[in-house]
Structures are given as C-alpha cells and as structure tokens.
Amino acid sequence: MHGPAWPAWLLVALCAATGAYCLLRMRSGVEEQRRAAGGEALMGFGMAAMAVPATVFSPPGWAWPLYAAVFGAAALRAVWAARASPHHLHHLVGTGAMVYMALTMALSPTAHHHAHAGTGVPLVTGALLLYFTGYVLLSGARLVPVAAAGPPAGGTGATAGGTGVATGDRGAAAVRWGDRPELARACRLSMGIGMVAMLLAM
C-alpha cells in the first residue's frame, strides 16, 4: 500500500492479530468453528501481508499470481462448504475480493506491485466496497447487544459458592473463550474493516 506508513502498519497489526486469534479458534471442539476459523486465519494473514507499506517491502512479480492462486483455491473450498452453511458465502466474497486485488496488482503496470488509487475495475471495486461496508455496519450492530449483555445466568451463584467453584468457572471459561460468538463476530468485523480500507486504496 502507498501513502502514509502508519495507517498501513495499523492495518497490518489489525489483520495479523485477527489471523492469530483465528488460529487459536482452530483449537475449538466444534468442527464448523474450526473450518470457519481456518479460512478466516488465511484471510487475516493474507491481508496483513498485502497491507505492508511499499516503502518497506515490495513483493516480487510472481507473488501476486501466487496470492490469486491460493485465494482462488480458498474460494472453491468456500463454494463447496456453502452447500452446508450459508455463512461460507461471505468467505466466498472475501476470497474473491482477495483474488481481485491480487490480479489487479499483478496486471497494473504502474502499481509497482502495490495498490494505487484508480487501479482496478471501478464497477467491481464499488460493488465490493458496498458489500463490505454493509457487512461492517451490520456486524457492528449485531455485536453491540452481545457485548453489552450481562454475565450468564448462575454466574453470581457460582462466585457465592466459594473460591473453589469460582476457580472452576474461570477455568471452564478459559477453555471456552475461543468459542465465544462475540469474539468471532469481532474477528470478522475487523477483517471487514480491513477489507474496506484496502479497497479504498484501489
């Protein structure tokens, strides 16, 4: 990415942290959670690598076709997985956006292998921006009531029962934290924000 370095580094940090959390979610005992987390981890790290400022690192010419091939394979996997869960349609749009950006960077003779304003196909870029902006707004609206919800029923009773019970509850919560729906939604929201920022740079 071109422009001031600090916004790009913030985007790198956001996407890398999201990818790292998604890797931890892959340890979930829920199979569907593990599958979704794997694709989201790939997206997070891929976006982080793509957002590195051009003044620091400019990928070789073969890197962008490789990006397109990797995320093209991920898109095919999302198509297959969408038969069982419509949620994977969002993964399909995300991986398709990564393929589009990688191909745009590979084919643009003036991009120096990084996105410039005005590159890409305006209609495609605009459609993706519209989708991800709507996704960010909707995800944020869904996240607020979940984050504002109080502790689960019985939480105060557990602490009143003595330190042994409270410690056990804390241990169980530590095991289940990777399965918490609000954290998964925050993870997807972060990647949606990052995708909007990257598309705006196109």
Side-chain angles (χ1 to χ4, degrees), residues 103 149 200:
L103 290 177
L200 285 173

Side-chain angles (χ1 to χ4, degrees), residues 29-54:
V30 182
E31 183 179 358
E32 180 60 26
Q33 178 86 316
R34 291 197 303 271
R35 290 179 180 175
E40 289 163 4
L42 177 65
M43 284 283 296
F45 288 123
M47 291 170 63
M50 192 177 285
V52 172

Side-chain angles (χ1 to χ4, degrees), residues 103-131:
L103 290 177
T104 298
M105 294 175 189
L107 297 175
S108 177
T110 61
H112 300 295
H113 306 299
H114 280 272
H116 276 240
T119 60
V121 181
L123 183 61
V124 177
T125 303
L128 289 172
L129 265 174
L130 184 63
Y131 172 82

Side-chain angles (χ1 to χ4, degrees), residues 35-129:
R35 290 179 180 175
E40 289 163 4
L42 177 65
M43 284 283 296
F45 288 123
M47 291 170 63
M50 192 177 285
V52 172
T55 55
V56 175
F57 175 69
S58 185
W62 53 262
W64 299 121
L66 179 61
Y67 261 80
V70 169
F71 284 100
L76 292 176
R77 181 179 180 273
V79 170
W80 183 264
R83 301 181 310 156
S85 173
H87 169 71
H88 289 281
L89 292 174
H90 174 68
H91 291 168
L92 176 61
V93 177
T95 51
M98 293 294 285
V99 171
Y100 166 67
M101 289 190 290
L103 290 177
T104 298
M105 294 175 189
L107 297 175
S108 177
T110 61
H112 300 295
H113 306 299
H114 280 272
H116 276 240
T119 60
V121 181
L123 183 61
V124 177
T125 303
L128 289 172
L129 265 174

